[in-house]
Amino acid sequence: MKEISDEEFDDAFPDGVFVIPRLPGHPRVKVRALWEYCQEKNILPKDLSKEEIERFLEKK
């Protein structure tokens, strides 16, 4: 997995917006925290356990 810097990530979204609209009632995903966690563990998001994924969901 290629590691990129925060600057490279931010530059990939020139208008500063990197979201996918969510359906009403669905949780928000803490994308940056998820990305940093995966980088630390050297894993892909698809390889996270259900418990690991839950920590990045913000239910409203």
Side-chain angles (χ1 to χ4, degrees):
M1 182 160 137
K2 180 183 181 287
E3 190 167 325
I4 65 169
S5 70
D6 288 344
E7 185 177 312
E8 288 174 305
F9 182 83
D10 290 339
D11 288 348
F13 305 92
D15 65 357
V17 176
F18 39 95
V19 299
I20 298 171
R22 64 186 174 96
L23 297 173
H26 284 215
R28 292 177 187 223
V29 178
K30 300 174 191 171
V31 176
R32 184 169 302 272
L34 172 65
W35 175 255
E36 290 171 357
Y37 181 82
C38 289
Q39 290 292 298
E40 286 175 17
K41 299 284 188 176
N42 198 30
I43 58 176
L44 296 173
K46 69 181 181 103
D47 298 323
L48 295 175
S49 69
K50 183 177 180 178
E51 291 78 21
E52 287 173 307
I53 291 170
E54 288 289 324
R55 70 170 45 170
F56 303 105
L57 301 180
E58 186 177 288
K59 298 177 181 163
K60 288 198 166 199

